[in-house]
Amino acid sequence: MNRRVWGLIKKEFTHIFRDKRTLFMIFGIPLVEILLFGFVIRTDISNIKVGVVDMTQDQVSHDICNKLLGSTYFSEIISVDQISDADLLFRENRIHELIIFGKELEKETTNRLGGEISIILDGSNPTVSQLILNYTNAVISDYFSLADYKDIVPQYRMVYNEELNSTYMFVPGVMALVLLLISAMMTAITLTKEKENHSFEMLLISPIRPLEVIIGKVTPYLVLSLANGVLILFLSKVLFGLPFLGNNLLLFAIILLYVLLSLSIGIFISVVADTQIVAMLFSLVVLLMPTMLLSGFIFPIANMPWPLQWISSIMPARWFIICFKGVVIQGLGIVGVLKPFLILLGMTLFFMILSVKKYNTHLDD
């Protein structure tokens, strides 16, 4: 290898190691991906919380509850007085399933007369519900086989999604991704392009104020994102039969709030990024991938290690999906989704103020 080529190689290495963004893309992205995929992608479910309506209060129901708690999948048994109380517990995500032990269960099983055990599950996430049902059936069957009782097959039903339609799971997640892509990424790339072309300097010498420039730039994406949201809802209803049990105005307010939040994040990214490529990579790494993996769209949040659960709590898509499912599938009103709605509102105000402040500072420089 001659000295000229060697010199070029040294120069290129020096350039790479001086550029922190390039270093992050070379080493940071693979590191983040392997950690995220390694910890997040798990097909098993843990930390399952079970509500129990025990009409018999005998040894059989007591033993089954203990066997559930002895399993690695179940973490908590919550005593429920009446079946009707379970609806509130499901809506507040305090239980994943409800087990109902019928009257005189021990007497009936001892005399080999059968017995009644019913299970109610939240079907808004079909995959998770089916896994929980399988775990519960396995524990109960194992108990009856060892105790020499008549084996009982529990009767079950799903609430919010009786047919376990998988559409109920992917529509909220797809909407969260699409709105984020159009609003945040496209806004970030468009505004960064203006920086690259030095168009803002030309606009600043005109009577238009910086805030008016930003409003003019992001308004088309606001309209397009809302149009996309309406299109996804229409297709979900017509093609997949997604129910709309809640208030449509509340649903529109949630979508509008999420789009405004995504636009604010897009403006913030455009201030941080110097080029369109950096803005696009930043959007993909910081927004798109974490939204897919950490929002609860595909993988249950309860299964993740606590640092990832904490990161999940600052992902806007997580709260949007909770609001969307609550209104569309569970038919909740504003009170039922108040907590995630206020979190989205707080995030929106935070990023709006931060983005406008950063942009004004950038233009002043």
Side-chain angles (χ1 to χ4, degrees):
M1 188 180 297
N2 63 45
R3 295 179 61 183
R4 289 194 299 272
V5 174
W6 181 244
L8 279 173
I9 292 172
K10 284 178 63 178
K11 174 250 175 194
E12 200 60 33
F13 267 116
T14 304
H15 175 73
I16 290 172
F17 283 107
R18 280 180 179 171
D19 189 347
K20 293 179 181 177
R21 287 172 182 155
T22 304
L23 274 179
F24 173 74
M25 283 188 281
I26 294 174
F27 296 108
I29 293 176
L31 182 65
V32 170
E33 285 191 358
I34 193 68
L35 289 176
L36 279 178
F37 279 89
F39 283 112
V40 171
I41 298 181
R42 295 182 178 182
T43 55
D44 56 335
I45 310 290
S46 58
N47 296 320
I48 301 169
K49 297 176 182 176
V50 184
V52 171
V53 177
D54 194 349
M55 300 179 186
T56 177
Q57 297 288 342
D58 58 26
Q59 191 61 41
V60 173
S61 62
H62 182 73
D63 289 345
I64 291 175
C65 288
N66 284 337
K67 280 190 74 68
L68 289 172
L69 285 177
S71 162
T72 55
Y73 303 117
F74 299 87
S75 62
E76 187 176 356
I77 300 287
I78 299 174
S79 180
V80 181
D81 295 330
Q82 299 177 355
I83 298 174
S84 57
D85 296 340
D87 189 47
L88 179 62
L89 296 173
F90 276 124
R91 288 170 186 260
E92 294 177 349
N93 291 319
R94 291 168 59 190
I95 59 172
H96 297 94
E97 70 171 346
L98 179 73
I99 300 179
I100 305 160
F101 294 107
K103 294 178 180 178
E104 299 183 346
L105 180 63
E106 183 176 12
K107 180 180 176 182
E108 291 172 340
T109 51
T110 304
N111 296 329
R112 295 182 171 275
L113 297 174
E116 182 183 352
I117 298 178
S118 301
I119 302 173
I120 299 176
L121 298 108
D122 180 359
S124 58
N125 191 328
T127 306
V128 172
S129 300
Q130 192 62 55
L131 280 172
I132 293 174
L133 179 62
N134 292 340
Y135 294 157
T136 307
N137 278 334
V139 170
I140 293 176
S141 297
D142 182 60
Y143 170 76
F144 284 115
S145 64
L146 295 175
D148 196 29
Y149 288 140
K150 178 180 175 59
D151 193 11
I152 295 175
V153 179
Q155 302 297 311
Y156 73 91
R157 72 179 176 91
M158 301 285 175
V159 291
Y160 308 128
N161 182 10
E162 294 185 2
E163 298 177 354
L164 291 180
N165 191 337
S166 59
T167 309
Y168 290 28
M169 184 180 71
F170 77 76
V171 167
V174 168
M175 176 168 273
L177 275 176
V178 169
L179 295 182
L180 194 68
L181 272 177
I182 294 175
S183 305
M185 187 184 289
M186 294 308 295
T187 301
I189 292 173
T190 301
L191 292 178
T192 309
K193 183 181 177 183
E194 298 288 352
K195 283 170 60 180
E196 280 188 293
N197 296 336
H198 302 289
S199 305
F200 270 118
E201 285 80 354
M202 297 176 66
L203 289 170
L204 284 175
I205 60 176
S206 69
I208 304 175
R209 291 181 296 178
L211 182 60
E212 293 172 333
V213 174
I214 295 174
I215 292 173
K217 287 288 178 185
V218 302
T219 298
Y221 294 105
L222 171 66
V223 175
L224 291 174
S225 299
L226 292 176
N228 257 296
V230 172
L231 179 63
I232 293 172
L233 292 176
F234 175 75
L235 293 176
S236 304
K237 177 68 177 176
V238 174
L239 298 181
F240 305 114
L242 190 74
F244 288 85
L245 303 178
N247 187 294
N248 289 334
L249 283 177
L250 176 59
L251 178 61
F252 179 78
I254 291 168
I255 293 173
L256 177 62
L257 187 60
Y258 183 68
V259 170
L260 287 173
L261 172 57
S262 302
L263 289 171
S264 304
I265 294 174
I267 296 170
F268 178 74
I269 291 174
S270 70
V271 178
V272 178
D274 293 328
T275 64
Q276 295 177 69
I277 294 177
V278 173
M280 186 175 68
L281 287 173
F282 197 82
S283 302
L284 288 172
V285 174
V286 177
L287 293 179
L288 187 61
M289 192 168 62
T291 295
M292 290 185 65
L293 298 176
L294 302 178
S295 65
F297 165 33
I298 301 175
F299 306 105
I301 295 171
N303 278 10
M304 301 173 191
W306 70 263
L308 292 182
Q309 289 191 30
W310 186 86
I311 295 174
S312 167
S313 67
I314 59 174
M315 299 303 301
R318 170 181 175 173
W319 306 109
F320 172 76
I321 290 172
I322 293 174
C323 282
F324 187 93
K325 282 185 174 178
V327 174
V328 174
I329 299 173
Q330 296 177 315
L332 301 180
I334 183 63
V335 176
V337 296
L338 188 59
K339 179 184 172 184
F341 187 85
L342 288 178
I343 291 174
L344 281 177
L345 182 61
M347 287 181 173
T348 305
L349 292 175
F350 173 78
F351 274 105
M352 273 188 170
I353 294 171
L354 184 67
S355 302
V356 172
K357 188 177 178 182
K358 284 278 185 184
Y359 226 95
N360 284 333
T361 305
H362 171 76
L363 293 176
D364 288 340
D365 293 340

